[in-house]
Amino acid sequence: MSGFVERPGHVEVEGLTHLHTGKVRDLYATAGGDLVMVASDRVSAYDWVLPTEIPGKGRLLTQLSLWWFERLRDLVPDHVLSDTPPPGAPADWAGRTLVCRNLDMVPVECVARGYLAGSGLAEYRVDRTVCGVPLPEGLTDGSELPEPIFTPATKAAVGDHDENVSFAVVAERLGEKRAAELRDLTLALYSRGREIACERGVILADTKFEFGRGADGGLVLADEVFTPDSSRYWPADEWAPGGPQPSFDKQILRDWLTSPASGWDRAADTPPPELPSDVVERTIERYREIHRRLTGGDSGL
Ligand code: ATP
Ligand code: MG
């Protein structure tokens, strides 16, 4: 079991209805039926939302998502209507709020992998496949795959792991045509992202997209895109398959949590402890660094 150490409350804003508090984001509906997504500074690890926040993370990830949405728009429409918080919103929502089309979400997490890591690696070690896709012998932690693969997952409730499934399971659920459409779009978006990241000296090892359907039934890219919360980013010049890669995300705090210094027993069902300030600082610096490397801009965040 796992879950929330404490569940930070959403705020009451006139004209908005609170819909959902996820691990990281708070969702509201406007009177007109649009969706307001507010990214918090919360961070999750090992399926727990940690008691310590990472100041500035919500803004950095929102700005990165926006930057990417712009670079994918010729491939797929996205759900963003505006990045201006609705009237009456708290001042600190600026920069971390997206007003979006409220879509009928496709109940599949669309994952693309170009490299072997995480749950993909774990599956590969069992039977040389990932989500039913056969892979060659001899791959190791961090290996580049012969070609990018679609490895869908079904979305879990808060506190549970998403479950990797095969393409056949998605086809059974959604129909062959829609499953193929999701796979092809997922791989096309991943290729674009990977290419752009590569030009900036960054490996986009894998990523997860969420899609919805618009009024016309067409696929719309929703949620967040190519953020370090939804993607594995590795510095290309340090890539060395055969072990865990240094990554631009919360690896620093994950490593601390599982080190003796934290005193936390991951196996016991006890909440993780507060993070020391140097771990918080080093983590936020990683998020700033990936934002800087990709966008070339000083985030000022
Ligand atoms: P986690 O991603 O940490 O596993 P979560 O998905 O429950 O948890 P968040 O990511 O914080 O929580 O919340 C975003 C929620 O909003 C998700 O359920 C996502 O599917 C949904 N969502 C994203 N974009 C849209 C959209 N345009 N219309 C409707 N729902 C959306
Ligand atoms: Mg999510």
Side-chain angles (χ1 to χ4, degrees), residues 156-171:
V158 168
D160 277 329
H161 288 294
D162 294 342
E163 193 195 342
N164 285 355
V165 294
S166 65
F167 178 81
V169 167
V170 179

Side-chain angles (χ1 to χ4, degrees), residues 52-113:
T52 314
E53 295 195 337
I54 305 296
K57 172 175 178 279
R59 278 187 190 83
L60 278 163
L61 267 55
T62 302
Q63 296 310 308
L64 198 54
S65 246
L66 273 171
W67 187 85
W68 277 114
F69 276 126
E70 271 174 34
R71 280 154 185 82
L72 303 171
R73 238 161 237 162
D74 61 312
L75 295 176
V76 64
D78 61 68
H79 68 159
V80 179
L81 296 171
S82 159
D83 60 355
T84 306
D92 77 348
W93 280 21
R96 59 189 182 96
T97 300
L98 295 181
V99 183
C100 304
R101 283 200 271 165
N102 196 351
L103 301 167
D104 192 11
M105 296 298 287
V106 175
V108 173
E109 310 253 311
C110 292
V111 178
R113 297 173 193 270

Side-chain angles (χ1 to χ4, degrees), residues 19 27-30 33-37 79 98-102:
L19 296 177
L27 263 60
Y28 303 80
T30 67
D34 293 332
L35 195 69
V36 179
M37 278 181 48
H79 68 159
L98 295 181
V99 183
C100 304
R101 283 200 271 165
N102 196 351

Side-chain angles (χ1 to χ4, degrees), residues 74 76 124 151 255 270:
D74 61 312
V76 64
Y124 174 81
T151 60
D255 289 349
T270 51

Side-chain angles (χ1 to χ4, degrees), residues 229-252:
D229 275 5
S230 67
S231 319
R232 273 196 181 82
Y233 282 113
W234 300 334
D237 56 354
E238 291 175 64
W239 177 57
Q245 307 300 305
S247 73
F248 285 112
D249 58 14
K250 50 197 174 192
Q251 196 58 44
I252 286 167

